[in-house]
Amino acid sequence: MKETDKQPIFFEISGNRVIYLDTKSVNNQIQEFIKNLPICTEPNYTPEMLDSYINEIRNYQICLQNKLQELKEFRAETQYYKIELLDLESAAWQYNLKSINSGESSIDLNRSNSEYINILSQLETQKDYIAFLVRPDSFSTFRQAREIAWKAGFNVGWEPQTPESPIIFSSQGRSVGVQ
């Protein structure tokens, strides 16, 4: 594995289909949601206003609890995934595939109107690399998608996945290095 300053662009390869994770859209949805949460202002303590301070603290705690509940209930969505908060402490978000027919089949990959090729054409080889999360049933499709990415000038990394392992990104992202 090589160190790189490039940004990973993630695709899941499952059921012999190439499925775009669109983490940028998800991160934008999360940021927009958080930006619009209510502002909870911590009160300042003044000894002569103890009763008022206790009431303000109570309201502050209620505000924080409501904010936390809204965050737990928030769901981001892309074309192929529903994303939910899995763990608050690590800010882990789980990507749940909407349909087993999501993405593109290996047959569609070489077509001129391929979604995969279209996504690659919108990326920059100097700034981005392609990161594949590969299920055991899809190595031939992975090799095909990897070859297309290489021909387009991209660095590529991949990580094997078990059939049942969830796709989870934390606040630190996910590490699939360039190989």
Side-chain angles (χ1 to χ4, degrees):
M1 229 179 328
K2 296 185 256 180
E3 293 271 333
T4 183
D5 291 332
K6 294 181 181 183
Q7 293 300 306
I9 306 300
F10 287 92
F11 291 87
E12 178 180 10
I13 313 288
S14 179
N16 283 311
R17 301 184 75 79
V18 177
I19 312 157
Y20 181 42
L21 276 102
D22 200 358
T23 56
K24 184 176 181 180
S25 170
V26 172
N27 288 337
N28 288 341
Q29 289 176 56
I30 293 168
Q31 293 303 322
E32 188 66 24
F33 175 78
I34 289 172
K35 185 174 80 175
N36 290 311
L37 284 171
I39 297 170
C40 302
T41 307
E42 188 171 3
N44 292 319
Y45 174 69
T46 52
E48 56 277 350
M49 304 285 282
L50 182 59
D51 288 341
S52 175
Y53 175 73
I54 290 171
N55 191 43
E56 287 176 36
I57 283 286
R58 198 173 301 122
N59 290 337
Y60 175 65
Q61 287 178 326
I62 290 169
C63 180
L64 290 177
Q65 288 168 349
N66 290 341
K67 203 173 186 176
L68 182 60
Q69 190 59 38
E70 283 187 55
L71 189 57
K72 287 178 181 177
E73 293 172 3
F74 173 73
R75 302 290 183 267
E77 194 166 328
T78 68
Q79 183 176 358
Y80 301 120
Y81 294 89
K82 289 186 178 180
I83 298 91
E84 63 184 321
L85 182 64
L86 187 65
D87 179 63
L88 188 62
E89 285 199 27
S90 64
W93 295 85
Q94 181 169 322
Y95 284 61
N96 301 305
L97 194 60
K98 290 180 184 178
S99 166
I100 58 169
N101 295 319
S102 294
E104 275 186 315
S105 70
S106 58
I107 295 167
D108 296 330
L109 285 180
N110 288 313
R111 294 196 172 137
S112 60
N113 64 344
S114 162
E115 178 190 30
Y116 175 67
I117 291 173
N118 184 46
I119 291 167
L120 293 183
S121 73
Q122 295 173 36
L123 302 173
E124 298 180 45
T125 58
Q126 299 305 313
K127 294 182 181 177
D128 303 309
Y129 73 93
I130 310 305
F132 296 104
L133 305 174
V134 185
R135 304 288 179 179
D137 65 354
S138 301
F139 280 101
S140 63
T141 302
F142 157 65
R143 287 189 290 275
Q144 183 182 356
R146 179 180 63 184
E147 187 66 31
I148 292 168
W150 279 341
K151 283 181 179 175
F154 288 96
N155 293 112
V156 171
W158 72 283
E159 180 179 284
Q161 302 289 297
T162 64
E164 64 282 340
S165 64
I167 295 177
I168 299 171
F169 288 82
S170 74
S171 59
Q172 288 79 40
R174 184 178 179 117
S175 177
V176 174
V178 172
Q179 287 132 7

